[in-house]
Amino acid sequence: MGGTHHGGGIEAVAAGDSPVHRLDPRAKIVGLIGLVVVAVSLPPGAWTAFAAILAILTGLVAAAGLRPMYVLRRMTIEIPFLLAAAMLPFTVEDGLALGAAVGLKVTIGVLAMVILSSTTPFPRLLRGFELLKAPRLITVIVAFMWRYLHVLSDEVSRMKRAREARGYSAGWLWQAASTGPLIATLFIRSLERGERVYLAMTSRGYEGSMPTTTADRMAIRTRDLAFLSTFAVALASIRIFLP
Amino acid sequence: MHIPDGLVDPATAVVTTAVGAGLVAYALKKSKEALDDRRIPIVGLMAAFVFAAQMVTFPIAGGTSAHLLGGAMAGILLGPWLGGLAMTVVYLVQAIGFADGGITALGANVIAVGFLPAVGGYYLFRGLTRILPGTRMSYLGSVAVVSWATTVAASALVAVFISFGGPLPLIAFPIMVGIHSIVGFGEALISMSVIAAVLGARPDLIFDQDRLPERASAPGGEVA
């Protein structure tokens, strides 16, 4: 049972263009995290409020031009948790309302983050967090992690090819037996490749953050302020008036 | 084993977010004091590695999903606080970039499956290697024991968060712990393979140089 939900062409979708894609990453980060916080704070029974929040998210999906099938596929990650919520009516008192609320909160959290990551390319997302004053050591580790994920996946396909060229065929049990050494080799090889890359970077003047180009220079524009203030007013009224 | 939004109560979310932020702040302070610049790529690689390993998930009937954790391995290789930071980064990127694990449950995830295995695992490892003889076998045996134990402990804490601190019934506890006492064996095998390989090829990268088995610290030590 290999879940491959982490892949799936997110970067291609995020590189698209729409009014939501064009918003400043900071506006989207603050707005969508705020929305999730409001949703999580709602009590079971606040169905109008949940519906309003889902309507906002659906509107964003439409405005961003995300394909429904793509969004649904990325949301399959929540299925195990929906199953857990579905068990609540049979196990606890007032479980039906509680289970529905849990299911809605999980769905809202997942959908909000799917929208954020599908409308913001990863480097811009990271830059947004840097500008929001996230601790530098954290953003540096994130940046390196992102690079290494690509190094790792390249290294895996090279090693797979090498194994197959030597007569290896992937059956489940055989695979299990050679997984440990494969992972260990992968670790050492990526590490040494990574160290070389890092030395190359520092010798070219890298000092802890990537230079910004005009392409990723960011400025809060009127539309970002409009988006954020609309969001703030909507969320505040949902939280105050609807439950 | 990532808690999503909604599976911890608002009060639990507030407390775990505050405690998680405190742990991250402390880890940043400790790491900045001691961080050699050249270790940054290794931290990034460790995070990428754990991230990739966590991609392979097994859904659990009781609600959440099981996968390799990597926290103990991160703690042993990078030290407790840098290891904890690497794990924090993994959960941050999974939550924001992949909707895997809730943003309001990030604190709970960072505590239970980040710092608990990295910091707890590191100190358990220190303890075990202190009392056991300094051989390669007991070194790797300790890695295995610590990996298994931290996987089970982390799943227990997650279960506490989602049942006592969340809406799920207490049955979640035995389900989570039961499943992870099996997942823990996979965790132990993978951690052992990786640390054995690092011990053979690059023992200089392991955080605690004073606990290396005798042969590995000698130049030209045995290659795994």
Side-chain angles (χ1 to χ4, degrees), chain B residues 172-202:
Chain B
F173 194 88
I175 293 178
M176 284 291 288
V177 174
I179 286 173
H180 284 91
S181 58
I182 299 167
V183 172
F185 287 108
E187 177 90 20
L189 268 178
I190 303 282
S191 312
M192 238 166 58
S193 304
V194 169
I195 292 188
V198 177
L199 214 48
R202 296 291 305 273

Side-chain angles (χ1 to χ4, degrees), chain A residues 211-237:
Chain A
T212 47
T213 59
T214 43
D216 51 26
R217 188 164 297 154
M218 286 176 196
I220 295 282
R221 297 194 172 84
T222 324
R223 59 169 182 243
D224 301 310
L225 292 175
F227 168 81
L228 264 185
S229 42
T230 316
F231 236 66
V233 171
L235 289 175
S237 14

Side-chain angles (χ1 to χ4, degrees), chain B residues 39 76-79 122 125-126 129 139 198-199 202-214 216-218:
Chain B
R39 280 187 82 75
I76 292 168
L77 277 177
L78 301 176
Y122 169 80
F125 184 73
R126 292 280 300 173
T129 45
Y139 191 86
V198 177
L199 214 48
R202 296 291 305 273
D204 57 303
L205 293 178
I206 297 179
F207 183 72
D208 270 339
Q209 291 292 311
D210 61 326
R211 289 299 163 84
L212 295 181
E214 275 140 35
S217 48

